[in-house]
Amino acid sequence: MTHSSSRAVGGSGMSAAAWAERQIASVRDDPAGRLALMRRCYHGPFGKAPRHLPFRRAALSFMRWQLRRGLLRPLSGDRPGSPWWRAVNERILRDGCEAVALSGGLPGPASARTVDCWTAFVGRPNARAWYRAHNGSVVAAYLEHRDLADAENEAERFFMNVVLCRVLYTHALVAAPRIPLGWLRPLGPFLGDPRLGMIGVFLQLSRILPDEYPLTAGVRSYLGDERGFGRLLDYGMIAPRLQQLYEWSAHELEAPDLLDCVRDGALTYAWPFEERGVWQPPQSFPVRMAHRLVPPERHG
């Protein structure tokens, strides 16, 4: 929101929630407009927020990946986007816009608890507050749009789970580094800081997924393409900690229903537990060494 736009809505008598909805409606079928709206949000209600700007790095990087794949394209046309991805992206944008409007003086109350998390970040920008806001919106959108997720194909549903566990993992790097890193926990706040370039490495899927939607091959073919750091991260570091990671995240984000997305260490968001074999780590030397050198901490 620029300074001039803030003054314009300030005298309109419009609530912060209504103002946010108007912003979303104006870019709903404009993927580049969505990106520009997210960029503006980090400038704050008056166009200048130097303490907040560095945090947009991770958000914009991930959103650009969504644009490259065509996930946010309009649903009409020859190559429609993903109804599910559009809905998840919209929830993040709406929550952020509403928090900006509230901080700019438009009346409340907040339409959702996740908006309060964004407002807390606005008031005190730090890495943990950003993750609570961003991941709170992500998880809320996941839980709200299970019906849209079920309508996606197998490969898309698989990578929905990969994205979710990775964003939860990066949050824990900052807020509970013992869970993701064990004895290496002093490195957590640096590796997970959304203001730094490392966070893009954790959320990077472009090396194994083509820039197209929908995915056309089966899950196994994409898993066969995953090498190096991605395989080590997913199967060497995250997989042994999945249950503990989701339990901690459900508490941290005040989202108990998140526990419905994991079962006995297998990811189950829009994914049948009976097909949990895809989450079993491959027999590779780097993965085995990760399990041995950085074992998950015991509960408690």
Side-chain angles (χ1 to χ4, degrees):
M1 192 197 305
T2 65
H3 182 69
S4 59
S5 63
S6 175
R7 286 185 299 176
V9 300
S12 67
M14 184 181 297
S15 70
W19 184 88
E21 179 56 42
R22 176 175 289 187
Q23 308 312 302
I24 297 301
S26 69
V27 299
R28 183 165 282 129
D29 289 329
D30 178 6
R34 287 180 181 236
L35 184 67
L37 178 59
M38 179 173 284
R39 183 181 288 112
R40 290 198 303 274
C41 281
Y42 282 89
H43 283 278
F46 305 113
K48 186 176 182 181
R51 292 190 301 153
H52 302 79
L53 271 180
F55 289 94
R56 73 178 183 176
R57 181 171 189 166
L60 292 179
S61 174
F62 188 57
M63 193 169 174
R64 290 189 186 102
W65 172 78
Q66 296 173 52
L67 264 65
R68 288 196 301 271
R69 282 201 63 208
L71 299 171
L72 305 181
R73 287 193 299 251
L75 298 181
S76 59
D78 297 334
R79 300 177 61 201
S82 162
W84 183 85
W85 275 104
R86 282 166 53 91
V88 172
N89 176 261
E90 190 168 306
R91 176 59 184 266
I92 300 169
L93 283 173
R94 181 185 292 109
D95 286 350
C97 281
E98 187 174 342
V100 168
L102 287 168
S103 67
L106 292 187
S111 63
R113 183 189 55 79
T114 47
V115 175
D116 289 328
C117 292
W118 279 107
T119 303
F121 166 71
V122 171
R124 189 178 181 183
N126 58 60
R128 184 168 186 170
W130 183 84
Y131 275 116
R132 280 180 58 84
H134 182 270
N135 286 7
S137 294
V138 169
V139 167
Y142 265 72
L143 297 176
E144 183 180 357
H145 297 293
R146 289 174 182 268
D147 56 332
L148 297 179
D150 288 335
E152 299 278 354
N153 68 29
E154 179 192 66
E156 294 289 347
R157 289 184 287 108
F158 175 84
F159 283 104
M160 290 174 189
N161 283 279
V162 173
V163 168
L164 181 58
C165 74
R166 286 193 182 188
V167 298
L168 298 179
Y169 183 84
T170 54
H171 183 179
L173 285 173
V174 167
R178 182 187 296 271
I179 294 174
L181 290 178
W183 63 274
L184 292 174
R185 57 187 177 275
L187 299 176
F190 167 74
L191 295 176
D193 194 322
R195 293 165 291 188
L196 304 178
M198 281 298 297
I199 192 65
V201 177
F202 290 100
L203 299 180
Q204 181 63 262
L205 292 172
S206 60
R207 293 183 179 180
I208 56 174
L209 295 184
D211 288 342
E212 64 179 15
Y213 172 82
L215 297 172
T216 55
V219 170
R220 297 290 180 181
S221 67
Y222 295 112
L223 292 182
D225 292 337
E226 185 177 35
R227 293 289 186 271
F229 181 78
R231 173 167 290 194
L232 184 63
L233 175 65
D234 291 334
Y235 291 103
M237 299 299 293
I238 299 180
R241 299 163 167 80
L242 278 174
Q243 194 69 39
Q244 188 178 6
L245 176 64
Y246 275 61
E247 289 172 2
W248 174 83
S249 299
H251 175 76
E252 170 79 357
L253 300 174
E254 300 180 51
D257 289 347
L258 179 60
L259 294 177
D260 294 337
C261 301
V262 66
R263 177 181 171 188
D264 297 335
L267 299 176
T268 57
Y269 181 77
W271 192 267
F273 179 70
E274 293 71 25
E275 297 178 22
R276 61 190 178 278
V278 294
W279 311 115
Q280 296 300 312
Q283 296 301 312
S284 72
F285 178 74
V287 169
R288 290 197 304 270
M289 287 302 296
H291 292 174
R292 180 175 300 178
L293 294 175
V294 193
E297 296 269 328
R298 293 178 179 269
H299 281 273

